[in-house]
Amino acid sequence: MSKFDKVKYDEMAKIIKSMAHPTRLFIVDELSKQDHCVCELTEMIGADTSTVSKHLAVLKNSGIVQDRKEGNNVYYSLRCSCVLSFYQCVRDVISHNVEDQLKLLK
Amino acid sequence: MSKFDKVKYDEMAKIIKSMAHPTRLFIVDELSKQDHCVCELTEMIGADTSTVSKHLAVLKNSGIVQDRKEGNNVYYSLRCSCVLSFYQCVRDVISHNVEDQLKLLK
DNA sequence: TATCTATTTGGCAATTTTGCCAAAAAGGAA
DNA sequence: TTCCTTTTTGGCAAAATTGCCAAATAGATA
């Protein structure tokens, strides 16, 4: 019988946790289309720059995005595009949930 | 320019959040191999039954697992196997991170 | 019916996450 | 150098998550 290897699952959870926030999901979604600097993302999100910067730090720290300096700006880009598979799965789960809701109404 | 649709990303984040915990990642990993009742999972995890039950409720509430009653036991099973794609991606991110660590040492 | 087993729920304290403000850094431009 | 502009960091209060215990529930079994 399998045993719970906490160290292994802690490390995996850290990566998934970094995606588990609406603002960070939005950021990754945008970066999948095109690189953006902090001020562009801040503008789209409508939060404090420091808040957006901290969200980017979380994504960078888990290895999902990377950054480069260009003049005054710091541009962020996707480092591991495999995270985009999360979006398709999440859509599948949601539509499966909706189907079940509909069945209940009948 | 895209705008941040909070409602949409909140809903998506709810699903990913439900996976963003070491214990729940372990549970989904085990359920991908075989269905299990609460007491079996509790035994493997080594936490309080109520704790495991609550983790299962989180996964059920997001639509990732489903349950069925059999005698005294409640068996849980995977409802959306697409979440298994998370594991491959997380492994990719981690090995990408490790490679970069190695480069820094050279 | 009374009892026993498995699971869920309520409640609570501890921990973690979040988001804002203010201040510090890092560089480019004047 | 001094002044901008952009980004990050420190600090803190509010909110959310977690895990345990105790109690409640749901059913099977005697």
mmCIF file with all atom_site columns, all heavy atoms in Angstrom, chain C residues 18-27:
data_model
loop_
_atom_site.group_PDB
_atom_site.id
_atom_site.type_symbol
_atom_site.label_atom_id
_atom_site.label_alt_id
_atom_site.label_comp_id
_atom_site.label_asym_id
_atom_site.label_entity_id
_atom_site.label_seq_id
_atom_site.pdbx_PDB_ins_code
_atom_site.Cartn_x
_atom_site.Cartn_y
_atom_site.Cartn_z
_atom_site.occupancy
_atom_site.B_iso_or_equiv
_atom_site.pdbx_formal_charge
_atom_site.auth_seq_id
_atom_site.auth_comp_id
_atom_site.auth_asym_id
_atom_site.auth_atom_id
_atom_site.pdbx_PDB_model_num
ATOM 1   P P     . DT C 1 18 ? -2.276 33.782 -2.107  1.00 0.00 ? 18 DT C P     1
ATOM 2   O OP1   . DT C 1 18 ? -3.195 33.181 -3.090  1.00 0.00 ? 18 DT C OP1   1
ATOM 3   O OP2   . DT C 1 18 ? -0.837 33.853 -2.377  1.00 0.00 ? 18 DT C OP2   1
ATOM 4   O "O5'" . DT C 1 18 ? -2.821 35.234 -1.770  1.00 0.00 ? 18 DT C "O5'" 1
ATOM 5   C "C5'" . DT C 1 18 ? -4.147 35.374 -1.300  1.00 0.00 ? 18 DT C "C5'" 1
ATOM 6   C "C4'" . DT C 1 18 ? -4.439 36.803 -0.914  1.00 0.00 ? 18 DT C "C4'" 1
ATOM 7   O "O4'" . DT C 1 18 ? -3.817 37.093 0.352   1.00 0.00 ? 18 DT C "O4'" 1
ATOM 8   C "C3'" . DT C 1 18 ? -3.942 37.844 -1.896  1.00 0.00 ? 18 DT C "C3'" 1
ATOM 9   O "O3'" . DT C 1 18 ? -5.057 38.522 -2.448  1.00 0.00 ? 18 DT C "O3'" 1
ATOM 10  C "C2'" . DT C 1 18 ? -3.059 38.785 -1.060  1.00 0.00 ? 18 DT C "C2'" 1
ATOM 11  C "C1'" . DT C 1 18 ? -3.460 38.452 0.364   1.00 0.00 ? 18 DT C "C1'" 1
ATOM 12  N N1    . DT C 1 18 ? -2.401 38.563 1.400   1.00 0.00 ? 18 DT C N1    1
ATOM 13  C C2    . DT C 1 18 ? -2.632 39.343 2.511   1.00 0.00 ? 18 DT C C2    1
ATOM 14  O O2    . DT C 1 18 ? -3.668 39.958 2.681   1.00 0.00 ? 18 DT C O2    1
ATOM 15  N N3    . DT C 1 18 ? -1.603 39.373 3.425   1.00 0.00 ? 18 DT C N3    1
ATOM 16  C C4    . DT C 1 18 ? -0.393 38.711 3.327   1.00 0.00 ? 18 DT C C4    1
ATOM 17  O O4    . DT C 1 18 ? 0.456  38.815 4.218   1.00 0.00 ? 18 DT C O4    1
ATOM 18  C C5    . DT C 1 18 ? -0.213 37.917 2.142   1.00 0.00 ? 18 DT C C5    1
ATOM 19  C C7    . DT C 1 18 ? 1.059  37.156 1.948   1.00 0.00 ? 18 DT C C7    1
ATOM 20  C C6    . DT C 1 18 ? -1.209 37.877 1.247   1.00 0.00 ? 18 DT C C6    1
ATOM 21  P P     . DG C 1 19 ? -4.933 39.590 -3.616  1.00 0.00 ? 19 DG C P     1
ATOM 22  O OP1   . DG C 1 19 ? -6.231 39.603 -4.347  1.00 0.00 ? 19 DG C OP1   1
ATOM 23  O OP2   . DG C 1 19 ? -3.679 39.328 -4.342  1.00 0.00 ? 19 DG C OP2   1
ATOM 24  O "O5'" . DG C 1 19 ? -4.789 40.966 -2.848  1.00 0.00 ? 19 DG C "O5'" 1
ATOM 25  C "C5'" . DG C 1 19 ? -5.887 41.486 -2.108  1.00 0.00 ? 19 DG C "C5'" 1
ATOM 26  C "C4'" . DG C 1 19 ? -5.512 42.843 -1.566  1.00 0.00 ? 19 DG C "C4'" 1
ATOM 27  O "O4'" . DG C 1 19 ? -4.531 42.651 -0.516  1.00 0.00 ? 19 DG C "O4'" 1
ATOM 28  C "C3'" . DG C 1 19 ? -4.852 43.751 -2.607  1.00 0.00 ? 19 DG C "C3'" 1
ATOM 29  O "O3'" . DG C 1 19 ? -5.345 45.075 -2.466  1.00 0.00 ? 19 DG C "O3'" 1
ATOM 30  C "C2'" . DG C 1 19 ? -3.370 43.675 -2.265  1.00 0.00 ? 19 DG C "C2'" 1
ATOM 31  C "C1'" . DG C 1 19 ? -3.414 43.470 -0.761  1.00 0.00 ? 19 DG C "C1'" 1
ATOM 32  N N9    . DG C 1 19 ? -2.245 42.807 -0.205  1.00 0.00 ? 19 DG C N9    1
ATOM 33  C C8    . DG C 1 19 ? -1.448 41.873 -0.815  1.00 0.00 ? 19 DG C C8    1
ATOM 34  N N7    . DG C 1 19 ? -0.454 41.467 -0.057  1.00 0.00 ? 19 DG C N7    1
ATOM 35  C C5    . DG C 1 19 ? -0.618 42.170 1.124   1.00 0.00 ? 19 DG C C5    1
ATOM 36  C C6    . DG C 1 19 ? 0.147  42.141 2.329   1.00 0.00 ? 19 DG C C6    1
ATOM 37  O O6    . DG C 1 19 ? 1.146  41.492 2.588   1.00 0.00 ? 19 DG C O6    1
ATOM 38  N N1    . DG C 1 19 ? -0.376 43.006 3.283   1.00 0.00 ? 19 DG C N1    1
ATOM 39  C C2    . DG C 1 19 ? -1.487 43.800 3.111   1.00 0.00 ? 19 DG C C2    1
ATOM 40  N N2    . DG C 1 19 ? -1.840 44.567 4.127   1.00 0.00 ? 19 DG C N2    1
ATOM 41  N N3    . DG C 1 19 ? -2.197 43.825 1.988   1.00 0.00 ? 19 DG C N3    1
ATOM 42  C C4    . DG C 1 19 ? -1.717 42.992 1.049   1.00 0.00 ? 19 DG C C4    1
ATOM 43  P P     . DC C 1 20 ? -5.146 46.179 -3.580  1.00 0.00 ? 20 DC C P     1
ATOM 44  O OP1   . DC C 1 20 ? -6.493 46.455 -4.082  1.00 0.00 ? 20 DC C OP1   1
ATOM 45  O OP2   . DC C 1 20 ? -4.057 45.814 -4.502  1.00 0.00 ? 20 DC C OP2   1
ATOM 46  O "O5'" . DC C 1 20 ? -4.658 47.442 -2.729  1.00 0.00 ? 20 DC C "O5'" 1
ATOM 47  C "C5'" . DC C 1 20 ? -5.430 47.881 -1.609  1.00 0.00 ? 20 DC C "C5'" 1
ATOM 48  C "C4'" . DC C 1 20 ? -4.519 48.427 -0.532  1.00 0.00 ? 20 DC C "C4'" 1
ATOM 49  O "O4'" . DC C 1 20 ? -3.640 47.366 -0.095  1.00 0.00 ? 20 DC C "O4'" 1
ATOM 50  C "C3'" . DC C 1 20 ? -3.601 49.539 -1.012  1.00 0.00 ? 20 DC C "C3'" 1
ATOM 51  O "O3'" . DC C 1 20 ? -4.092 50.801 -0.545  1.00 0.00 ? 20 DC C "O3'" 1
ATOM 52  C "C2'" . DC C 1 20 ? -2.233 49.232 -0.408  1.00 0.00 ? 20 DC C "C2'" 1
ATOM 53  C "C1'" . DC C 1 20 ? -2.447 47.954 0.379   1.00 0.00 ? 20 DC C "C1'" 1
ATOM 54  N N1    . DC C 1 20 ? -1.356 46.978 0.169   1.00 0.00 ? 20 DC C N1    1
ATOM 55  C C2    . DC C 1 20 ? -0.469 46.719 1.220   1.00 0.00 ? 20 DC C C2    1
ATOM 56  O O2    . DC C 1 20 ? -0.607 47.325 2.278   1.00 0.00 ? 20 DC C O2    1
ATOM 57  N N3    . DC C 1 20 ? 0.543  45.836 1.041   1.00 0.00 ? 20 DC C N3    1
ATOM 58  C C4    . DC C 1 20 ? 0.665  45.205 -0.124  1.00 0.00 ? 20 DC C C4    1
ATOM 59  N N4    . DC C 1 20 ? 1.668  44.331 -0.252  1.00 0.00 ? 20 DC C N4    1
ATOM 60  C C5    . DC C 1 20 ? -0.224 45.445 -1.211  1.00 0.00 ? 20 DC C C5    1
ATOM 61  C C6    . DC C 1 20 ? -1.216 46.337 -1.020  1.00 0.00 ? 20 DC C C6    1
ATOM 62  P P     . DC C 1 21 ? -3.528 52.163 -1.179  1.00 0.00 ? 21 DC C P     1
ATOM 63  O OP1   . DC C 1 21 ? -4.598 53.176 -1.086  1.00 0.00 ? 21 DC C OP1   1
ATOM 64  O OP2   . DC C 1 21 ? -2.874 51.874 -2.472  1.00 0.00 ? 21 DC C OP2   1
ATOM 65  O "O5'" . DC C 1 21 ? -2.376 52.554 -0.140  1.00 0.00 ? 21 DC C "O5'" 1
ATOM 66  C "C5'" . DC C 1 21 ? -2.670 52.610 1.258   1.00 0.00 ? 21 DC C "C5'" 1
ATOM 67  C "C4'" . DC C 1 21 ? -1.367 52.738 2.027   1.00 0.00 ? 21 DC C "C4'" 1
ATOM 68  O "O4'" . DC C 1 21 ? -0.644 51.492 1.953   1.00 0.00 ? 21 DC C "O4'" 1
ATOM 69  C "C3'" . DC C 1 21 ? -0.447 53.820 1.483   1.00 0.00 ? 21 DC C "C3'" 1
ATOM 70  O "O3'" . DC C 1 21 ? -0.111 54.729 2.522   1.00 0.00 ? 21 DC C "O3'" 1
ATOM 71  C "C2'" . DC C 1 21 ? 0.779  53.072 0.978   1.00 0.00 ? 21 DC C "C2'" 1
ATOM 72  C "C1'" . DC C 1 21 ? 0.725  51.770 1.764   1.00 0.00 ? 21 DC C "C1'" 1
ATOM 73  N N1    . DC C 1 21 ? 1.298  50.617 1.022   1.00 0.00 ? 21 DC C N1    1
ATOM 74  C C2    . DC C 1 21 ? 2.296  49.845 1.636   1.00 0.00 ? 21 DC C C2    1
ATOM 75  O O2    . DC C 1 21 ? 2.689  50.155 2.760   1.00 0.00 ? 21 DC C O2    1
ATOM 76  N N3    . DC C 1 21 ? 2.810  48.789 0.964   1.00 0.00 ? 21 DC C N3    1
ATOM 77  C C4    . DC C 1 21 ? 2.363  48.484 -0.255  1.00 0.00 ? 21 DC C C4    1
ATOM 78  N N4    . DC C 1 21 ? 2.893  47.431 -0.873  1.00 0.00 ? 21 DC C N4    1
ATOM 79  C C5    . DC C 1 21 ? 1.342  49.252 -0.897  1.00 0.00 ? 21 DC C C5    1
ATOM 80  C C6    . DC C 1 21 ? 0.840  50.304 -0.222  1.00 0.00 ? 21 DC C C6    1
ATOM 81  P P     . DA C 1 22 ? 0.727  56.051 2.181   1.00 0.00 ? 22 DA C P     1
ATOM 82  O OP1   . DA C 1 22 ? 0.257  57.095 3.110   1.00 0.00 ? 22 DA C OP1   1
ATOM 83  O OP2   . DA C 1 22 ? 0.724  56.268 0.725   1.00 0.00 ? 22 DA C OP2   1
ATOM 84  O "O5'" . DA C 1 22 ? 2.213  55.625 2.616   1.00 0.00 ? 22 DA C "O5'" 1
ATOM 85  C "C5'" . DA C 1 22 ? 2.417  55.008 3.876   1.00 0.00 ? 22 DA C "C5'" 1
ATOM 86  C "C4'" . DA C 1 22 ? 3.879  54.626 4.018   1.00 0.00 ? 22 DA C "C4'" 1
ATOM 87  O "O4'" . DA C 1 22 ? 4.151  53.418 3.268   1.00 0.00 ? 22 DA C "O4'" 1
ATOM 88  C "C3'" . DA C 1 22 ? 4.848  55.683 3.499   1.00 0.00 ? 22 DA C "C3'" 1
ATOM 89  O "O3'" . DA C 1 22 ? 5.943  55.806 4.400   1.00 0.00 ? 22 DA C "O3'" 1
ATOM 90  C "C2'" . DA C 1 22 ? 5.277  55.136 2.139   1.00 0.00 ? 22 DA C "C2'" 1
ATOM 91  C "C1'" . DA C 1 22 ? 5.232  53.633 2.384   1.00 0.00 ? 22 DA C "C1'" 1
ATOM 92  N N9    . DA C 1 22 ? 4.987  52.827 1.189   1.00 0.00 ? 22 DA C N9    1
ATOM 93  C C8    . DA C 1 22 ? 4.095  53.089 0.164   1.00 0.00 ? 22 DA C C8    1
ATOM 94  N N7    . DA C 1 22 ? 4.089  52.167 -0.773  1.00 0.00 ? 22 DA C N7    1
ATOM 95  C C5    . DA C 1 22 ? 5.033  51.241 -0.347  1.00 0.00 ? 22 DA C C5    1
ATOM 96  C C6    . DA C 1 22 ? 5.493  50.035 -0.909  1.00 0.00 ? 22 DA C C6    1
ATOM 97  N N6    . DA C 1 22 ? 5.047  49.537 -2.046  1.00 0.00 ? 22 DA C N6    1
ATOM 98  N N1    . DA C 1 22 ? 6.436  49.356 -0.216  1.00 0.00 ? 22 DA C N1    1
ATOM 99  C C2    . DA C 1 22 ? 6.887  49.860 0.946   1.00 0.00 ? 22 DA C C2    1
ATOM 100 N N3    . DA C 1 22 ? 6.527  50.987 1.571   1.00 0.00 ? 22 DA C N3    1
ATOM 101 C C4    . DA C 1 22 ? 5.589  51.636 0.861   1.00 0.00 ? 22 DA C C4    1
ATOM 102 P P     . DA C 1 23 ? 7.144  56.836 4.108   1.00 0.00 ? 23 DA C P     1
ATOM 103 O OP1   . DA C 1 23 ? 7.497  57.429 5.415   1.00 0.00 ? 23 DA C OP1   1
ATOM 104 O OP2   . DA C 1 23 ? 6.770  57.676 2.951   1.00 0.00 ? 23 DA C OP2   1
ATOM 105 O "O5'" . DA C 1 23 ? 8.327  55.867 3.668   1.00 0.00 ? 23 DA C "O5'" 1
ATOM 106 C "C5'" . DA C 1 23 ? 8.590  54.709 4.460   1.00 0.00 ? 23 DA C "C5'" 1
ATOM 107 C "C4'" . DA C 1 23 ? 9.625  53.839 3.775   1.00 0.00 ? 23 DA C "C4'" 1
ATOM 108 O "O4'" . DA C 1 23 ? 9.021  53.156 2.648   1.00 0.00 ? 23 DA C "O4'" 1
ATOM 109 C "C3'" . DA C 1 23 ? 10.813 54.624 3.203   1.00 0.00 ? 23 DA C "C3'" 1
ATOM 110 O "O3'" . DA C 1 23 ? 11.993 53.910 3.490   1.00 0.00 ? 23 DA C "O3'" 1
ATOM 111 C "C2'" . DA C 1 23 ? 10.530 54.648 1.703   1.00 0.00 ? 23 DA C "C2'" 1
ATOM 112 C "C1'" . DA C 1 23 ? 9.862  53.290 1.518   1.00 0.00 ? 23 DA C "C1'" 1
ATOM 113 N N9    . DA C 1 23 ? 9.037  53.161 0.315   1.00 0.00 ? 23 DA C N9    1
ATOM 114 C C8    . DA C 1 23 ? 8.119  54.042 -0.184  1.00 0.00 ? 23 DA C C8    1
ATOM 115 N N7    . DA C 1 23 ? 7.534  53.633 -1.290  1.00 0.00 ? 23 DA C N7    1
ATOM 116 C C5    . DA C 1 23 ? 8.112  52.400 -1.533  1.00 0.00 ? 23 DA C C5    1
ATOM 117 C C6    . DA C 1 23 ? 7.939  51.443 -2.553  1.00 0.00 ? 23 DA C C6    1
ATOM 118 N N6    . DA C 1 23 ? 7.084  51.608 -3.554  1.00 0.00 ? 23 DA C N6    1
ATOM 119 N N1    . DA C 1 23 ? 8.681  50.317 -2.497  1.00 0.00 ? 23 DA C N1    1
ATOM 120 C C2    . DA C 1 23 ? 9.542  50.171 -1.485  1.00 0.00 ? 23 DA C C2    1
ATOM 121 N N3    . DA C 1 23 ? 9.792  50.986 -0.459  1.00 0.00 ? 23 DA C N3    1
ATOM 122 C C4    . DA C 1 23 ? 9.040  52.093 -0.557  1.00 0.00 ? 23 DA C C4    1
ATOM 123 P P     . DA C 1 24 ? 13.432 54.530 3.123   1.00 0.00 ? 24 DA C P     1
ATOM 124 O OP1   . DA C 1 24 ? 14.214 54.558 4.379   1.00 0.00 ? 24 DA C OP1   1
ATOM 125 O OP2   . DA C 1 24 ? 13.248 55.755 2.317   1.00 0.00 ? 24 DA C OP2   1
ATOM 126 O "O5'" . DA C 1 24 ? 14.057 53.396 2.185   1.00 0.00 ? 24 DA C "O5'" 1
ATOM 127 C "C5'" . DA C 1 24 ? 14.006 52.047 2.633   1.00 0.00 ? 24 DA C "C5'" 1
ATOM 128 C "C4'" . DA C 1 24 ? 14.330 51.123 1.483   1.00 0.00 ? 24 DA C "C4'" 1
ATOM 129 O "O4'" . DA C 1 24 ? 13.280 51.208 0.482   1.00 0.00 ? 24 DA C "O4'" 1
ATOM 130 C "C3'" . DA C 1 24 ? 15.631 51.461 0.753   1.00 0.00 ? 24 DA C "C3'" 1
ATOM 131 O "O3'" . DA C 1 24 ? 16.309 50.259 0.465   1.00 0.00 ? 24 DA C "O3'" 1
ATOM 132 C "C2'" . DA C 1 24 ? 15.155 52.151 -0.527  1.00 0.00 ? 24 DA C "C2'" 1
ATOM 133 C "C1'" . DA C 1 24 ? 13.857 51.419 -0.795  1.00 0.00 ? 24 DA C "C1'" 1
ATOM 134 N N9    . DA C 1 24 ? 12.869 52.131 -1.603  1.00 0.00 ? 24 DA C N9    1
ATOM 135 C C8    . DA C 1 24 ? 12.339 53.378 -1.387  1.00 0.00 ? 24 DA C C8    1
ATOM 136 N N7    . DA C 1 24 ? 11.440 53.740 -2.293  1.00 0.00 ? 24 DA C N7    1
ATOM 137 C C5    . DA C 1 24 ? 11.378 52.656 -3.155  1.00 0.00 ? 24 DA C C5    1
ATOM 138 C C6    . DA C 1 24 ? 10.620 52.405 -4.317  1.00 0.00 ? 24 DA C C6    1
ATOM 139 N N6    . DA C 1 24 ? 9.740  53.274 -4.816  1.00 0.00 ? 24 DA C N6    1
ATOM 140 N N1    . DA C 1 24 ? 10.795 51.232 -4.937  1.00 0.00 ? 24 DA C N1    1
ATOM 141 C C2    . DA C 1 24 ? 11.678 50.358 -4.427  1.00 0.00 ? 24 DA C C2    1
ATOM 142 N N3    . DA C 1 24 ? 12.457 50.472 -3.339  1.00 0.00 ? 24 DA C N3    1
ATOM 143 C C4    . DA C 1 24 ? 12.248 51.663 -2.744  1.00 0.00 ? 24 DA C C4    1
ATOM 144 P P     . DA C 1 25 ? 17.914 50.277 0.255   1.00 0.00 ? 25 DA C P     1
ATOM 145 O OP1   . DA C 1 25 ? 18.488 49.262 1.142   1.00 0.00 ? 25 DA C OP1   1
ATOM 146 O OP2   . DA C 1 25 ? 18.372 51.694 0.297   1.00 0.00 ? 25 DA C OP2   1
ATOM 147 O "O5'" . DA C 1 25 ? 18.069 49.765 -1.233  1.00 0.00 ? 25 DA C "O5'" 1
ATOM 148 C "C5'" . DA C 1 25 ? 16.966 49.915 -2.084  1.00 0.00 ? 25 DA C "C5'" 1
ATOM 149 C "C4'" . DA C 1 25 ? 16.993 48.895 -3.175  1.00 0.00 ? 25 DA C "C4'" 1
ATOM 150 O "O4'" . DA C 1 25 ? 15.859 49.195 -4.010  1.00 0.00 ? 25 DA C "O4'" 1
ATOM 151 C "C3'" . DA C 1 25 ? 18.207 49.023 -4.065  1.00 0.00 ? 25 DA C "C3'" 1
ATOM 152 O "O3'" . DA C 1 25 ? 18.396 47.808 -4.748  1.00 0.00 ? 25 DA C "O3'" 1
ATOM 153 C "C2'" . DA C 1 25 ? 17.807 50.168 -4.980  1.00 0.00 ? 25 DA C "C2'" 1
ATOM 154 C "C1'" . DA C 1 25 ? 16.292 49.947 -5.136  1.00 0.00 ? 25 DA C "C1'" 1
ATOM 155 N N9    . DA C 1 25 ? 15.492 51.180 -5.168  1.00 0.00 ? 25 DA C N9    1
ATOM 156 C C8    . DA C 1 25 ? 15.549 52.261 -4.335  1.00 0.00 ? 25 DA C C8    1
ATOM 157 N N7    . DA C 1 25 ? 14.680 53.212 -4.634  1.00 0.00 ? 25 DA C N7    1
ATOM 158 C C5    . DA C 1 25 ? 14.007 52.707 -5.731  1.00 0.00 ? 25 DA C C5    1
ATOM 159 C C6    . DA C 1 25 ? 12.960 53.228 -6.529  1.00 0.00 ? 25 DA C C6    1
ATOM 160 N N6    . DA C 1 25 ? 12.390 54.401 -6.329  1.00 0.00 ? 25 DA C N6    1
ATOM 161 N N1    . DA C 1 25 ? 12.531 52.477 -7.560  1.00 0.00 ? 25 DA C N1    1
ATOM 162 C C2    . DA C 1 25 ? 13.103 51.282 -7.766  1.00 0.00 ? 25 DA C C2    1
ATOM 163 N N3    . DA C 1 25 ? 14.087 50.688 -7.084  1.00 0.00 ? 25 DA C N3    1
ATOM 164 C C4    . DA C 1 25 ? 14.497 51.468 -6.076  1.00 0.00 ? 25 DA C C4    1
ATOM 165 P P     . DA C 1 26 ? 19.761 47.622 -5.646  1.00 0.00 ? 26 DA C P     1
ATOM 166 O OP1   . DA C 1 26 ? 20.127 46.202 -5.454  1.00 0.00 ? 26 DA C OP1   1
ATOM 167 O OP2   . DA C 1 26 ? 20.716 48.710 -5.324  1.00 0.00 ? 26 DA C OP2   1
ATOM 168 O "O5'" . DA C 1 26 ? 19.316 47.854 -7.158  1.00 0.00 ? 26 DA C "O5'" 1
ATOM 169 C "C5'" . DA C 1 26 ? 18.059 47.373 -7.630  1.00 0.00 ? 26 DA C "C5'" 1
ATOM 170 C "C4'" . DA C 1 26 ? 17.922 47.801 -9.082  1.00 0.00 ? 26 DA C "C4'" 1
ATOM 171 O "O4'" . DA C 1 26 ? 17.058 48.968 -9.157  1.00 0.00 ? 26 DA C "O4'" 1
ATOM 172 C "C3'" . DA C 1 26 ? 19.248 48.205 -9.706  1.00 0.00 ? 26 DA C "C3'" 1
ATOM 173 O "O3'" . DA C 1 26 ? 19.274 47.744 -11.048 1.00 0.00 ? 26 DA C "O3'" 1
ATOM 174 C "C2'" . DA C 1 26 ? 19.223 49.725 -9.648  1.00 0.00 ? 26 DA C "C2'" 1
ATOM 175 C "C1'" . DA C 1 26 ? 17.726 50.009 -9.812  1.00 0.00 ? 26 DA C "C1'" 1
ATOM 176 N N9    . DA C 1 26 ? 17.271 51.260 -9.218  1.00 0.00 ? 26 DA C N9    1
ATOM 177 C C8    . DA C 1 26 ? 17.741 51.897 -8.106  1.00 0.00 ? 26 DA C C8    1
ATOM 178 N N7    . DA C 1 26 ? 17.100 53.015 -7.815  1.00 0.00 ? 26 DA C N7    1
ATOM 179 C C5    . DA C 1 26 ? 16.137 53.109 -8.806  1.00 0.00 ? 26 DA C C5    1
ATOM 180 C C6    . DA C 1 26 ? 15.125 54.059 -9.055  1.00 0.00 ? 26 DA C C6    1
ATOM 181 N N6    . DA C 1 26 ? 14.910 55.133 -8.299  1.00 0.00 ? 26 DA C N6    1
ATOM 182 N N1    . DA C 1 26 ? 14.335 53.856 -10.122 1.00 0.00 ? 26 DA C N1    1
ATOM 183 C C2    . DA C 1 26 ? 14.539 52.772 -10.888 1.00 0.00 ? 26 DA C C2    1
ATOM 184 N N3    . DA C 1 26 ? 15.457 51.811 -10.741 1.00 0.00 ? 26 DA C N3    1
ATOM 185 C C4    . DA C 1 26 ? 16.225 52.043 -9.671  1.00 0.00 ? 26 DA C C4    1
ATOM 186 P P     . DG C 1 27 ? 20.688 47.467 -11.807 1.00 0.00 ? 27 DG C P     1
ATOM 187 O OP1   . DG C 1 27 ? 20.645 46.141 -12.406 1.00 0.00 ? 27 DG C OP1   1
ATOM 188 O OP2   . DG C 1 27 ? 21.768 47.871 -10.872 1.00 0.00 ? 27 DG C OP2   1
ATOM 189 O "O5'" . DG C 1 27 ? 20.657 48.519 -12.972 1.00 0.00 ? 27 DG C "O5'" 1
ATOM 190 C "C5'" . DG C 1 27 ? 19.987 49.714 -12.711 1.00 0.00 ? 27 DG C "C5'" 1
ATOM 191 C "C4'" . DG C 1 27 ? 19.152 50.084 -13.892 1.00 0.00 ? 27 DG C "C4'" 1
ATOM 192 O "O4'" . DG C 1 27 ? 18.202 51.044 -13.420 1.00 0.00 ? 27 DG C "O4'" 1
ATOM 193 C "C3'" . DG C 1 27 ? 20.010 50.806 -14.932 1.00 0.00 ? 27 DG C "C3'" 1
ATOM 194 O "O3'" . DG C 1 27 ? 19.335 50.802 -16.193 1.00 0.00 ? 27 DG C "O3'" 1
ATOM 195 C "C2'" . DG C 1 27 ? 20.061 52.186 -14.368 1.00 0.00 ? 27 DG C "C2'" 1
ATOM 196 C "C1'" . DG C 1 27 ? 18.645 52.344 -13.769 1.00 0.00 ? 27 DG C "C1'" 1
ATOM 197 N N9    . DG C 1 27 ? 18.617 53.182 -12.579 1.00 0.00 ? 27 DG C N9    1
ATOM 198 C C8    . DG C 1 27 ? 19.456 53.159 -11.495 1.00 0.00 ? 27 DG C C8    1
ATOM 199 N N7    . DG C 1 27 ? 19.172 54.081 -10.609 1.00 0.00 ? 27 DG C N7    1
ATOM 200 C C5    . DG C 1 27 ? 18.080 54.739 -11.149 1.00 0.00 ? 27 DG C C5    1
ATOM 201 C C6    . DG C 1 27 ? 17.336 55.827 -10.658 1.00 0.00 ? 27 DG C C6    1
ATOM 202 O O6    . DG C 1 27 ? 17.485 56.459 -9.603  1.00 0.00 ? 27 DG C O6    1
ATOM 203 N N1    . DG C 1 27 ? 16.310 56.184 -11.527 1.00 0.00 ? 27 DG C N1    1
ATOM 204 C C2    . DG C 1 27 ? 16.037 55.556 -12.721 1.00 0.00 ? 27 DG C C2    1
ATOM 205 N N2    . DG C 1 27 ? 15.019 56.029 -13.438 1.00 0.00 ? 27 DG C N2    1
ATOM 206 N N3    . DG C 1 27 ? 16.729 54.536 -13.194 1.00 0.00 ? 27 DG C N3    1
ATOM 207 C C4    . DG C 1 27 ? 17.733 54.192 -12.361 1.00 0.00 ? 27 DG C C4    1
#
